[in-house]
Amino acid sequence: MISLKKKNKIVVDKLMDEYEKIIPKCPHFEKCGGCLFQNIDYKNQILLKEKLIESLITKKTNKIFDNEIKKEFLEIIEGIDLKIKDSKKEFRYRTKIEMVCNNDQIGFREKNKFDSVVDIKDCYLFDEKTFKKFLEIKKDIIESIKEFPFYDLKKHNGFLRYIIIRKGYQTDEDMITFVTNGYIENFWRIIDKSQKIFNQVSWLINTTYSDVAKGEEFFSSGNIKEKIGENIYSISNSSFFQSNSFVTKDIYDDIKHFSKGQVIDLFGGTSTIGLYVAKKDEVSEVLTVDILKENIEIAQLNKEENKDSKVKLLLKDAKDFFREEHQYDTLIIDPPRTGLEKKLVKKILSKKINRFIYMSCNFATFLDDIEYIIIYRKEFLQDKKIKINFFKAYDMFPQTPHFETLCVIDFI
Ligand SMILES: C[S@@+](CC[C@H](N)C(=O)[O-])C[C@H]1O[C@@H](n2cnc3c(N)ncnc32)[C@H](O)[C@@H]1O
């Protein structure tokens, strides 16, 4: 799960003090680093996040030293609506959880500790039925712990590293994935049992020192599916999928509303956005660009499944994409938490696209990018002004301090 930067954590801790505390549902709340807000009533969580947005804007404004840029930044930001749209589901919404196997425990990392794991009996952010299936497998694994010892990061020995479970809530399909350090023949016993319980099962091998829930695919029984609106999407053991499909539909409907003409779906993952907006008559063509082969492969399946002829797919680093000549009407951007950063903003602006639809899961880096857009607009689009046509925040991650935003920026 996404962690907070230290400085932002201090701001969040201060804001949390302002709200009355309730008894959290989850017995792991005090120890587990997963959901910080479970002891705050959901309505207050929304109010808290709205205040967090305000404080991030103030913090960013104070860091802009050029008075002209600051003035323009404030003019742009002042017009936006800071209300957060709530999630239809407060609990049990996550499409994926990654559990660490460490020190005979399987679960999430302990709050503020990176070398200790809280053994999880349930996770209120994840589907109950699928979690119960995992508990059956967990029992077998714990009983066989001598045979399949858990990985020790410091000594780089042991076998089982991560267990990932994924869920398609609209299709009721689920998948379990094991990440191991190497191969043990008898582990097929666990894989076979899992295949009787879960819709799909995968085994990834990661013998590197890098502590990630990823690896080379050694076995996969197949993908699961999830629906967003009318579209059906495949999810593999390694492909990207938005964390909360219930909120994702609201965001994609808004993105679709503002998309027109020739569209680039940059950081497009498995083309979930590209294929969604392609359903609109006013959209003539979509190009989905992503850096990961596993995402583009799933995007190809998604294109076939949704019988789409408007979407083209391109495996490419966004930085290299903008070296080439293209003409587009709408640019959809859904970058990782690091945002676009200075260099890419410059490259994108040089292409003189009149509409940006910016979906972000990190409001702080989104604000940094707005500053870069103001700075480089002068260089590339002197005669055009920046207009925020639409801004909305969505509670994609209830019980946690995180949220998603969507901003439509027009250059007029
Ligand atoms: C937040 S996800 C958005 C995915 C997509 N919109 C979806 O919903 O499926 C960010 C995506 O950016 C991709 N990515 C990260 N760095 C990239 C780069 N330099 N160039 C192109 N894609 C990149 C990742 O592989 C990931 O799929």
PDB file of all heavy atoms in Angstrom, residues 10 14 20 57 62 76 112 126 138-139 160 163 166 169 215 217 227 264 280-281 296 325 328 344 382 411:
ATOM      1  N   ILE A  10       3.237  14.393   9.068  1.00  0.00           N
ATOM      2  CA  ILE A  10       3.102  15.335  10.195  1.00  0.00           C
ATOM      3  C   ILE A  10       1.828  16.168  10.020  1.00  0.00           C
ATOM      4  O   ILE A  10       1.047  16.339  10.954  1.00  0.00           O
ATOM      5  CB  ILE A  10       4.359  16.248  10.296  1.00  0.00           C
ATOM      6  CG1 ILE A  10       5.591  15.378  10.602  1.00  0.00           C
ATOM      7  CG2 ILE A  10       4.177  17.333  11.352  1.00  0.00           C
ATOM      8  CD1 ILE A  10       6.928  16.074  10.485  1.00  0.00           C
ATOM      9  N   LYS A  14      -1.553  16.011  12.505  1.00  0.00           N
ATOM     10  CA  LYS A  14      -2.107  17.226  13.116  1.00  0.00           C
ATOM     11  C   LYS A  14      -3.598  17.345  12.821  1.00  0.00           C
ATOM     12  O   LYS A  14      -4.412  17.614  13.709  1.00  0.00           O
ATOM     13  CB  LYS A  14      -1.389  18.455  12.547  1.00  0.00           C
ATOM     14  CG  LYS A  14      -0.468  19.122  13.546  1.00  0.00           C
ATOM     15  CD  LYS A  14       0.068  20.354  12.920  1.00  0.00           C
ATOM     16  CE  LYS A  14       0.424  21.370  13.960  1.00  0.00           C
ATOM     17  NZ  LYS A  14       1.021  22.555  13.348  1.00  0.00           N
ATOM     18  N   GLU A  20     -13.002  13.620  16.318  1.00  0.00           N
ATOM     19  CA  GLU A  20     -13.360  12.659  17.358  1.00  0.00           C
ATOM     20  C   GLU A  20     -13.005  11.241  16.890  1.00  0.00           C
ATOM     21  O   GLU A  20     -13.164  10.922  15.710  1.00  0.00           O
ATOM     22  CB  GLU A  20     -14.879  12.766  17.568  1.00  0.00           C
ATOM     23  CG  GLU A  20     -15.410  12.054  18.769  1.00  0.00           C
ATOM     24  CD  GLU A  20     -16.945  12.003  18.717  1.00  0.00           C
ATOM     25  OE1 GLU A  20     -17.546  12.953  18.174  1.00  0.00           O
ATOM     26  OE2 GLU A  20     -17.491  11.009  19.202  1.00  0.00           O
ATOM     27  N   ILE A  57      -2.084  22.841  -0.812  1.00  0.00           N
ATOM     28  CA  ILE A  57      -2.040  24.013  -1.707  1.00  0.00           C
ATOM     29  C   ILE A  57      -1.250  25.144  -1.033  1.00  0.00           C
ATOM     30  O   ILE A  57      -0.387  25.780  -1.639  1.00  0.00           O
ATOM     31  CB  ILE A  57      -3.473  24.478  -2.078  1.00  0.00           C
ATOM     32  CG1 ILE A  57      -4.138  23.439  -2.992  1.00  0.00           C
ATOM     33  CG2 ILE A  57      -3.437  25.845  -2.755  1.00  0.00           C
ATOM     34  CD1 ILE A  57      -5.583  23.721  -3.352  1.00  0.00           C
ATOM     35  N   ASN A  62       3.572  28.520  -0.736  1.00  0.00           N
ATOM     36  CA  ASN A  62       4.677  29.116   0.029  1.00  0.00           C
ATOM     37  C   ASN A  62       6.044  28.745  -0.536  1.00  0.00           C
ATOM     38  O   ASN A  62       7.030  29.405  -0.234  1.00  0.00           O
ATOM     39  CB  ASN A  62       4.612  28.686   1.501  1.00  0.00           C
ATOM     40  CG  ASN A  62       3.398  29.280   2.181  1.00  0.00           C
ATOM     41  OD1 ASN A  62       2.854  30.272   1.704  1.00  0.00           O
ATOM     42  ND2 ASN A  62       2.956  28.680   3.280  1.00  0.00           N
ATOM     43  N   ILE A  76      -5.054  30.319 -10.833  1.00  0.00           N
ATOM     44  CA  ILE A  76      -5.517  29.042 -11.401  1.00  0.00           C
ATOM     45  C   ILE A  76      -6.170  28.184 -10.320  1.00  0.00           C
ATOM     46  O   ILE A  76      -7.259  27.640 -10.487  1.00  0.00           O
ATOM     47  CB  ILE A  76      -4.327  28.289 -12.039  1.00  0.00           C
ATOM     48  CG1 ILE A  76      -3.909  29.001 -13.327  1.00  0.00           C
ATOM     49  CG2 ILE A  76      -4.662  26.834 -12.329  1.00  0.00           C
ATOM     50  CD1 ILE A  76      -2.656  28.450 -13.940  1.00  0.00           C
ATOM     51  N   ASN A 112       5.153   2.210  10.839  1.00  0.00           N
ATOM     52  CA  ASN A 112       6.470   2.853  11.042  1.00  0.00           C
ATOM     53  C   ASN A 112       7.645   1.882  11.185  1.00  0.00           C
ATOM     54  O   ASN A 112       8.696   2.260  11.684  1.00  0.00           O
ATOM     55  CB  ASN A 112       6.461   3.794  12.264  1.00  0.00           C
ATOM     56  CG  ASN A 112       5.350   4.811  12.182  1.00  0.00           C
ATOM     57  OD1 ASN A 112       5.024   5.260  11.096  1.00  0.00           O
ATOM     58  ND2 ASN A 112       4.762   5.161  13.314  1.00  0.00           N
ATOM     59  N   PHE A 126     -10.252  -5.341   1.935  1.00  0.00           N
ATOM     60  CA  PHE A 126     -10.314  -6.335   0.857  1.00  0.00           C
ATOM     61  C   PHE A 126     -11.555  -7.214   0.979  1.00  0.00           C
ATOM     62  O   PHE A 126     -12.140  -7.362   2.065  1.00  0.00           O
ATOM     63  CB  PHE A 126      -9.035  -7.179   0.892  1.00  0.00           C
ATOM     64  CG  PHE A 126      -8.822  -7.965  -0.373  1.00  0.00           C
ATOM     65  CD1 PHE A 126      -8.471  -7.325  -1.550  1.00  0.00           C
ATOM     66  CD2 PHE A 126      -9.002  -9.339  -0.389  1.00  0.00           C
ATOM     67  CE1 PHE A 126      -8.303  -8.039  -2.731  1.00  0.00           C
ATOM     68  CE2 PHE A 126      -8.836 -10.062  -1.554  1.00  0.00           C
ATOM     69  CZ  PHE A 126      -8.483  -9.408  -2.730  1.00  0.00           C
ATOM     70  N   LYS A 138      -3.307 -20.171   3.729  1.00  0.00           N
ATOM     71  CA  LYS A 138      -2.344 -19.723   4.750  1.00  0.00           C
ATOM     72  C   LYS A 138      -2.122 -20.835   5.794  1.00  0.00           C
ATOM     73  O   LYS A 138      -0.989 -21.091   6.209  1.00  0.00           O
ATOM     74  CB  LYS A 138      -2.888 -18.452   5.425  1.00  0.00           C
ATOM     75  CG  LYS A 138      -1.980 -17.904   6.504  1.00  0.00           C
ATOM     76  CD  LYS A 138      -2.608 -16.702   7.173  1.00  0.00           C
ATOM     77  CE  LYS A 138      -1.777 -16.300   8.382  1.00  0.00           C
ATOM     78  NZ  LYS A 138      -2.425 -15.282   9.189  1.00  0.00           N
ATOM     79  N   LYS A 139      -3.218 -21.485   6.164  1.00  0.00           N
ATOM     80  CA  LYS A 139      -3.136 -22.559   7.165  1.00  0.00           C
ATOM     81  C   LYS A 139      -2.167 -23.654   6.683  1.00  0.00           C
ATOM     82  O   LYS A 139      -1.276 -24.081   7.418  1.00  0.00           O
ATOM     83  CB  LYS A 139      -4.548 -23.133   7.390  1.00  0.00           C
ATOM     84  CG  LYS A 139      -4.684 -24.100   8.524  1.00  0.00           C
ATOM     85  CD  LYS A 139      -6.175 -24.387   8.773  1.00  0.00           C
ATOM     86  CE  LYS A 139      -6.355 -25.662   9.560  1.00  0.00           C
ATOM     87  NZ  LYS A 139      -6.200 -26.875   8.744  1.00  0.00           N
ATOM     88  N   LEU A 160       9.563 -18.318   0.652  1.00  0.00           N
ATOM     89  CA  LEU A 160       8.334 -17.583   0.326  1.00  0.00           C
ATOM     90  C   LEU A 160       8.480 -16.098   0.671  1.00  0.00           C
ATOM     91  O   LEU A 160       8.781 -15.752   1.814  1.00  0.00           O
ATOM     92  CB  LEU A 160       7.159 -18.210   1.089  1.00  0.00           C
ATOM     93  CG  LEU A 160       5.752 -17.852   0.635  1.00  0.00           C
ATOM     94  CD1 LEU A 160       5.540 -18.116  -0.845  1.00  0.00           C
ATOM     95  CD2 LEU A 160       4.724 -18.626   1.458  1.00  0.00           C
ATOM     96  N   ILE A 163       2.686 -12.850  -0.904  1.00  0.00           N
ATOM     97  CA  ILE A 163       1.450 -13.435  -1.444  1.00  0.00           C
ATOM     98  C   ILE A 163       0.550 -12.253  -1.837  1.00  0.00           C
ATOM     99  O   ILE A 163       0.318 -11.341  -1.028  1.00  0.00           O
ATOM    100  CB  ILE A 163       0.743 -14.344  -0.419  1.00  0.00           C
ATOM    101  CG1 ILE A 163       1.648 -15.536  -0.075  1.00  0.00           C
ATOM    102  CG2 ILE A 163      -0.605 -14.831  -0.963  1.00  0.00           C
ATOM    103  CD1 ILE A 163       1.104 -16.462   1.002  1.00  0.00           C
ATOM    104  N   ARG A 166      -5.847 -10.672  -5.700  1.00  0.00           N
ATOM    105  CA  ARG A 166      -6.517  -9.670  -6.529  1.00  0.00           C
ATOM    106  C   ARG A 166      -7.984 -10.065  -6.678  1.00  0.00           C
ATOM    107  O   ARG A 166      -8.326 -11.248  -6.637  1.00  0.00           O
ATOM    108  CB  ARG A 166      -5.864  -9.561  -7.914  1.00  0.00           C
ATOM    109  CG  ARG A 166      -4.388  -9.292  -7.843  1.00  0.00           C
ATOM    110  CD  ARG A 166      -3.798  -8.927  -9.180  1.00  0.00           C
ATOM    111  NE  ARG A 166      -4.034  -7.511  -9.474  1.00  0.00           N
ATOM    112  CZ  ARG A 166      -3.264  -6.786 -10.310  1.00  0.00           C
ATOM    113  NH1 ARG A 166      -2.257  -7.336 -10.934  1.00  0.00           N
ATOM    114  NH2 ARG A 166      -3.511  -5.514 -10.527  1.00  0.00           N
ATOM    115  N   TYR A 169     -14.453  -7.169  -8.483  1.00  0.00           N
ATOM    116  CA  TYR A 169     -15.678  -7.119  -7.659  1.00  0.00           C
ATOM    117  C   TYR A 169     -16.948  -7.264  -8.502  1.00  0.00           C
ATOM    118  O   TYR A 169     -17.940  -7.799  -8.019  1.00  0.00           O
ATOM    119  CB  TYR A 169     -15.727  -5.806  -6.859  1.00  0.00           C
ATOM    120  CG  TYR A 169     -14.744  -5.809  -5.709  1.00  0.00           C
ATOM    121  CD1 TYR A 169     -13.402  -5.517  -5.904  1.00  0.00           C
ATOM    122  CD2 TYR A 169     -15.160  -6.127  -4.419  1.00  0.00           C
ATOM    123  CE1 TYR A 169     -12.494  -5.530  -4.869  1.00  0.00           C
ATOM    124  CE2 TYR A 169     -14.260  -6.140  -3.363  1.00  0.00           C
ATOM    125  CZ  TYR A 169     -12.922  -5.840  -3.593  1.00  0.00           C
ATOM    126  OH  TYR A 169     -12.030  -5.870  -2.565  1.00  0.00           O
ATOM    127  N   GLY A 215       8.206 -10.611  -9.854  1.00  0.00           N
ATOM    128  CA  GLY A 215       9.174 -11.642 -10.210  1.00  0.00           C
ATOM    129  C   GLY A 215       8.919 -12.136 -11.619  1.00  0.00           C
ATOM    130  O   GLY A 215       7.968 -11.704 -12.283  1.00  0.00           O
ATOM    131  N   GLU A 217       7.563 -14.654 -14.272  1.00  0.00           N
ATOM    132  CA  GLU A 217       6.430 -15.587 -14.211  1.00  0.00           C
ATOM    133  C   GLU A 217       6.914 -17.010 -14.467  1.00  0.00           C
ATOM    134  O   GLU A 217       7.511 -17.296 -15.498  1.00  0.00           O
ATOM    135  CB  GLU A 217       5.385 -15.192 -15.240  1.00  0.00           C
ATOM    136  CG  GLU A 217       4.143 -16.054 -15.145  1.00  0.00           C
ATOM    137  CD  GLU A 217       3.097 -15.658 -16.163  1.00  0.00           C
ATOM    138  OE1 GLU A 217       2.472 -14.603 -15.998  1.00  0.00           O
ATOM    139  OE2 GLU A 217       2.922 -16.426 -17.131  1.00  0.00           O
ATOM    140  N   LYS A 227     -15.109  -5.463 -14.487  1.00  0.00           N
ATOM    141  CA  LYS A 227     -15.919  -4.600 -15.353  1.00  0.00           C
ATOM    142  C   LYS A 227     -15.881  -3.173 -14.841  1.00  0.00           C
ATOM    143  O   LYS A 227     -15.982  -2.941 -13.626  1.00  0.00           O
ATOM    144  CB  LYS A 227     -17.380  -5.072 -15.301  1.00  0.00           C
ATOM    145  CG  LYS A 227     -17.788  -5.946 -16.450  1.00  0.00           C
ATOM    146  CD  LYS A 227     -19.267  -6.244 -16.377  1.00  0.00           C
ATOM    147  CE  LYS A 227     -20.008  -5.462 -17.449  1.00  0.00           C
ATOM    148  NZ  LYS A 227     -21.425  -5.716 -17.484  1.00  0.00           N
ATOM    149  N   ILE A 264      -4.337  11.014 -26.786  1.00  0.00           N
ATOM    150  CA  ILE A 264      -3.223  10.178 -26.303  1.00  0.00           C
ATOM    151  C   ILE A 264      -3.560   9.792 -24.868  1.00  0.00           C
ATOM    152  O   ILE A 264      -3.913  10.647 -24.054  1.00  0.00           O
ATOM    153  CB  ILE A 264      -1.860  10.898 -26.195  1.00  0.00           C
ATOM    154  CG1 ILE A 264      -1.603  11.831 -27.342  1.00  0.00           C
ATOM    155  CG2 ILE A 264      -0.726   9.879 -26.041  1.00  0.00           C
ATOM    156  CD1 ILE A 264      -0.311  12.597 -27.159  1.00  0.00           C
ATOM    157  N   LYS A 280     -16.839   6.890 -27.096  1.00  0.00           N
ATOM    158  CA  LYS A 280     -17.547   8.141 -27.376  1.00  0.00           C
ATOM    159  C   LYS A 280     -17.407   8.511 -28.859  1.00  0.00           C
ATOM    160  O   LYS A 280     -16.310   8.448 -29.412  1.00  0.00           O
ATOM    161  CB  LYS A 280     -16.908   9.227 -26.502  1.00  0.00           C
ATOM    162  CG  LYS A 280     -17.641  10.524 -26.449  1.00  0.00           C
ATOM    163  CD  LYS A 280     -16.911  11.474 -25.505  1.00  0.00           C
ATOM    164  CE  LYS A 280     -17.551  12.834 -25.554  1.00  0.00           C
ATOM    165  NZ  LYS A 280     -16.769  13.807 -24.796  1.00  0.00           N
ATOM    166  N   ASP A 281     -18.515   8.939 -29.490  1.00  0.00           N
ATOM    167  CA  ASP A 281     -18.486   9.274 -30.929  1.00  0.00           C
ATOM    168  C   ASP A 281     -17.504  10.395 -31.236  1.00  0.00           C
ATOM    169  O   ASP A 281     -16.844  10.383 -32.266  1.00  0.00           O
ATOM    170  CB  ASP A 281     -19.887   9.694 -31.398  1.00  0.00           C
ATOM    171  CG  ASP A 281     -20.829   8.499 -31.435  1.00  0.00           C
ATOM    172  OD1 ASP A 281     -20.315   7.349 -31.413  1.00  0.00           O
ATOM    173  OD2 ASP A 281     -22.059   8.715 -31.446  1.00  0.00           O
ATOM    174  N   ILE A 296       1.006  -3.634 -21.802  1.00  0.00           N
ATOM    175  CA  ILE A 296       0.586  -3.536 -23.211  1.00  0.00           C
ATOM    176  C   ILE A 296       0.035  -4.884 -23.702  1.00  0.00           C
ATOM    177  O   ILE A 296      -0.921  -4.927 -24.476  1.00  0.00           O
ATOM    178  CB  ILE A 296       1.749  -3.006 -24.099  1.00  0.00           C
ATOM    179  CG1 ILE A 296       2.070  -1.545 -23.721  1.00  0.00           C
ATOM    180  CG2 ILE A 296       1.443  -3.129 -25.589  1.00  0.00           C
ATOM    181  CD1 ILE A 296       0.945  -0.532 -24.003  1.00  0.00           C
ATOM    182  N   GLU A 325       7.033  13.458 -33.939  1.00  0.00           N
ATOM    183  CA  GLU A 325       6.007  14.421 -34.351  1.00  0.00           C
ATOM    184  C   GLU A 325       4.607  13.814 -34.225  1.00  0.00           C
ATOM    185  O   GLU A 325       4.347  12.735 -34.732  1.00  0.00           O
ATOM    186  CB  GLU A 325       6.231  14.824 -35.815  1.00  0.00           C
ATOM    187  CG  GLU A 325       7.104  16.047 -35.982  1.00  0.00           C
ATOM    188  CD  GLU A 325       6.830  17.169 -34.993  1.00  0.00           C
ATOM    189  OE1 GLU A 325       5.670  17.609 -34.902  1.00  0.00           O
ATOM    190  OE2 GLU A 325       7.765  17.594 -34.288  1.00  0.00           O
ATOM    191  N   TYR A 328      -2.315  15.972 -31.652  1.00  0.00           N
ATOM    192  CA  TYR A 328      -3.416  15.438 -30.851  1.00  0.00           C
ATOM    193  C   TYR A 328      -4.298  16.552 -30.316  1.00  0.00           C
ATOM    194  O   TYR A 328      -3.842  17.683 -30.154  1.00  0.00           O
ATOM    195  CB  TYR A 328      -2.874  14.604 -29.682  1.00  0.00           C
ATOM    196  CG  TYR A 328      -2.344  13.273 -30.147  1.00  0.00           C
ATOM    197  CD1 TYR A 328      -0.994  13.101 -30.411  1.00  0.00           C
ATOM    198  CD2 TYR A 328      -3.206  12.206 -30.374  1.00  0.00           C
ATOM    199  CE1 TYR A 328      -0.509  11.896 -30.876  1.00  0.00           C
ATOM    200  CE2 TYR A 328      -2.732  10.989 -30.848  1.00  0.00           C
ATOM    201  CZ  TYR A 328      -1.380  10.837 -31.093  1.00  0.00           C
ATOM    202  OH  TYR A 328      -0.923   9.648 -31.557  1.00  0.00           O
ATOM    203  N   LEU A 344       9.469  16.292 -18.577  1.00  0.00           N
ATOM    204  CA  LEU A 344       8.368  15.768 -19.385  1.00  0.00           C
ATOM    205  C   LEU A 344       7.319  16.855 -19.632  1.00  0.00           C
ATOM    206  O   LEU A 344       6.750  16.942 -20.722  1.00  0.00           O
ATOM    207  CB  LEU A 344       7.759  14.525 -18.722  1.00  0.00           C
ATOM    208  CG  LEU A 344       6.767  13.757 -19.577  1.00  0.00           C
ATOM    209  CD1 LEU A 344       7.389  13.310 -20.902  1.00  0.00           C
ATOM    210  CD2 LEU A 344       6.257  12.523 -18.857  1.00  0.00           C
ATOM    211  N   GLN A 382       2.935  31.064 -25.799  1.00  0.00           N
ATOM    212  CA  GLN A 382       2.893  32.457 -25.297  1.00  0.00           C
ATOM    213  C   GLN A 382       1.511  33.086 -25.398  1.00  0.00           C
ATOM    214  O   GLN A 382       1.066  33.793 -24.499  1.00  0.00           O
ATOM    215  CB  GLN A 382       3.861  33.362 -26.081  1.00  0.00           C
ATOM    216  CG  GLN A 382       5.293  32.980 -26.014  1.00  0.00           C
ATOM    217  CD  GLN A 382       5.660  32.050 -27.174  1.00  0.00           C
ATOM    218  OE1 GLN A 382       4.829  31.363 -27.741  1.00  0.00           O
ATOM    219  NE2 GLN A 382       6.945  32.039 -27.510  1.00  0.00           N
ATOM    220  N   PHE A 411      -5.832  25.113 -22.803  1.00  0.00           N
ATOM    221  CA  PHE A 411      -4.981  26.230 -23.193  1.00  0.00           C
ATOM    222  C   PHE A 411      -5.768  27.014 -24.234  1.00  0.00           C
ATOM    223  O   PHE A 411      -6.022  26.505 -25.324  1.00  0.00           O
ATOM    224  CB  PHE A 411      -3.651  25.714 -23.770  1.00  0.00           C
ATOM    225  CG  PHE A 411      -2.870  24.944 -22.738  1.00  0.00           C
ATOM    226  CD1 PHE A 411      -3.004  23.567 -22.623  1.00  0.00           C
ATOM    227  CD2 PHE A 411      -2.025  25.599 -21.844  1.00  0.00           C
ATOM    228  CE1 PHE A 411      -2.323  22.850 -21.651  1.00  0.00           C
ATOM    229  CE2 PHE A 411      -1.332  24.885 -20.864  1.00  0.00           C
ATOM    230  CZ  PHE A 411      -1.486  23.517 -20.770  1.00  0.00           C
TER     231      PHE A 411
END
